[in-house]
Amino acid sequence: MSIRSKLPEVGTTIFTTMSALAAQHGAINLSQGFPDYPCAPGLLDALSAATQAGHNQYAPMAGLPALRQAITDKLKIQHAIEINPETEITITAGATQALFTAIAAVLHAGDEAILLDPSYDSYAPSILAQGAKPVHIALSAPDFSVDWQRVESTITPRTRLILINNPNNPATSTLSSEDLDILASIAEKHDLIILADEVYEHLIYDGATHHSVLAHPALRERSFAVYSFGKTFHATGWKVGYCVAPPALTSEFRKIHQFLVFAVNTPAQHALAAHLSQASSWQGLPAFFETKRALLTPGLVTAGFKLLRCRGTYFQLADYSDIRPDLNDIDFARWLTIEHGVASIPISAFYKSAPDQQIVRFCFAKQEQTLLNAIDRLKRIRN
Ligand SMILES: Cc1ncc(COP(=O)(O)O)c(C=O)c1O
């Protein structure tokens, strides 16, 4: 049997590789982006109550009405906008499915989609799987700012989509309202659709504001905005997220969604609806993560890393060029895991091609004790 792979270049991801290496060497795993602390007890109780109450059959295709209403209410508090839960919100099996579905809904074979690297690892394969072409633009440390003129100059008659991730994993950078204005004018001029991955919308620090495409009228008209309850409620294993888009885009989105998953886990949607309707479930997130960031960063500095400014997400980028300038970032991450028992992610994994920047990413969505143990180990690098 001969198989012509649709994704010949896709292999095991760096996350799987680094987590396996961490397990093999008994390393503290600050590589993959998931918490090692429990989610809110109220959320767990609500899940159990939903199953006991008999909510165990298929949910409506677009998502449980109560959950879509809770999202509408939250967006009103957050951005003072009115989103129609019937025609503009679809519940998905995590953000990854929402991203794939949006891409599959609008890209045809031969179309082009612009990605800003460093970019999350599902974007390019999701585009390639449609027979479309990812066009990568590399952003550089330390601030990973976007050169919009360069973005515009890569647009061709085949370009259909620009993908943004705000706040950005792994760059930890954010887009300003000026960035969104320029993006809107480019998208209008070239009639492009925007896919905005905003899974880290609440993880934004130092009093800054998250600038969502949903709060920008011109962008909202032409954007899919994607979110993840896994990230917001410390429950990555639940794999529930959602996509907000205007009715015409949502209608195309649901055509794919209904044959990809049809409907998403029913009891989880009941539990999330109850939890989300309490604004306190998401309003304290920046302070919660700032405490963790403040715990990890001095330890990294003491160990000899130079830190890049973290404006958002639950990751800290660290330049290791004063520690092992002889190693590229993949070899450094392996060395740190094997020799010093702390696993990180090399940021070159998020680029199609880029010069080595000697930067690795640490996840600080971890219990205090996990972070303290990691710091103890990292401090020994200099001994
Ligand atoms: C930028 C980004 N988008 C999407 C996802 C995936 O979210 P989910 O687990 O809800 O599919 C992640 C997870 O790490 C992410 O970092």
Side-chain angles (χ1 to χ4, degrees):
M1 184 178 64
S2 68
I3 300 175
R4 221 176 108 227
S5 174
K6 295 184 86 173
L7 299 171
E9 285 173 20
V10 171
T12 311
T13 74
I14 189 73
F15 308 102
T16 308
T17 306
M18 290 311 300
S19 286
L21 196 68
Q24 190 188 340
H25 293 275
I28 296 169
N29 192 354
L30 304 189
S31 64
Q32 243 176 315
F34 61 85
D36 68 346
Y37 43 86
C39 37
L43 185 58
L44 302 181
D45 292 345
L47 180 64
S48 162
T51 57
Q52 296 301 330
H55 298 303
N56 299 304
Q57 308 308 328
Y58 292 130
M61 185 271 281
L64 201 72
L67 181 53
R68 286 185 281 145
Q69 185 59 51
I71 293 167
T72 290
D73 296 344
K74 170 187 177 258
L75 289 170
K76 194 170 184 173
I77 301 174
Q78 207 180 351
H79 302 303
I81 51 172
E82 290 288 345
I83 296 285
N84 184 331
E86 281 297 312
T87 57
E88 298 186 276
I89 299 175
T90 310
I91 309 301
T92 60
T96 310
Q97 186 239 309
L99 292 162
F100 187 93
T101 304
I103 288 167
V106 296
L107 288 189
H108 293 253
D111 285 347
E112 293 176 6
I114 295 177
L115 298 184
L116 305 175
D117 286 355
S119 60
Y120 184 60
D121 67 343
S122 83
Y123 303 163
S126 302
I127 294 163
L128 287 165
Q130 318 310 320
K133 182 181 165 197
V135 177
H136 296 258
I137 296 177
L139 311 180
S140 306
D143 59 1
F144 301 92
S145 59
V146 184
D147 176 348
W148 292 108
Q149 271 183 349
R150 193 164 154 227
V151 172
E152 189 164 16
S153 70
T154 64
I155 294 172
T156 75
R158 312 256 25 184
T159 309
R160 294 294 302 134
L161 187 75
I162 300 182
L163 233 150
I164 56 168
N165 177 208
N166 180 32
N168 182 289
N169 167 24
T172 77
S173 55
T174 53
L175 294 177
S176 65
S177 57
E178 291 74 32
D179 284 317
L180 293 197
D181 287 343
I182 302 170
L183 175 62
S185 68
I186 294 175
E188 278 177 339
K189 185 167 153 199
H190 299 275
D191 193 22
L192 304 178
I193 295 167
I194 304 301
L195 175 50
D197 178 345
E198 299 190 1
V199 300
Y200 297 105
E201 60 173 336
H202 295 298
L203 281 52
I204 199 139
Y205 307 124
D206 309 317
T209 307
H210 167 59
H211 296 289
S212 171
V213 291
L214 297 180
H216 191 290
L219 283 174
R220 185 180 148 193
E221 271 174 26
R222 50 178 68 246
S223 296
F224 294 102
V226 167
Y227 302 92
S228 167
F229 289 116
K231 299 293 176 189
T232 301
F233 292 147
H234 323 299
T236 58
W238 285 30
K239 292 299 293 186
V240 185
Y242 56 100
C243 176
V244 182
L249 288 179
T250 293
S251 161
E252 294 306 315
F253 183 95
R254 289 181 184 169
K255 288 179 191 172
I256 304 285
H257 174 77
Q258 69 181 334
F259 298 118
L260 196 54
V261 288
F262 180 65
V264 172
N265 187 300
T266 306
Q269 291 194 63
H270 279 274
L272 289 163
H275 198 60
L276 189 64
S277 41
Q278 299 154 37
S280 58
S281 64
W282 51 271
Q283 279 175 335
L285 286 167
F288 175 80
F289 282 110
E290 273 170 2
T291 308
K292 295 190 180 298
R293 186 184 60 165
L295 205 59
L296 178 66
T297 48
L300 290 175
V301 172
T302 310
F305 290 95
K306 287 179 286 203
L307 301 190
L308 284 79
R309 175 153 180 207
C310 164
R311 294 175 193 271
T313 77
Y314 46 42
F315 303 108
Q316 176 64 55
L317 293 185
D319 175 326
Y320 61 82
S321 58
D322 288 346
I323 302 173
R324 288 294 307 264
D326 54 317
L327 298 180
N328 67 31
D329 65 357
I330 296 177
D331 289 341
F332 180 83
R334 289 183 59 81
W335 172 80
L336 196 67
T337 307
I338 296 167
E339 299 298 329
H340 293 281
V342 179
S344 59
I345 295 282
I347 69 157
S348 61
F350 298 84
Y351 285 87
K352 166 91 175 153
S353 62
D356 186 27
Q357 300 180 86
Q358 302 210 305
I359 295 171
V360 290
R361 187 199 80 176
F362 294 96
C363 174
F364 55 78
K366 304 291 170 192
Q367 296 175 46
E368 189 178 323
Q369 199 52 53
T370 309
L371 295 172
L372 292 174
N373 291 346
I375 290 166
D376 263 358
R377 291 182 180 196
L378 291 170
K379 278 181 183 158
R380 284 181 230 136
I381 294 178
R382 288 200 143 162
N383 297 333

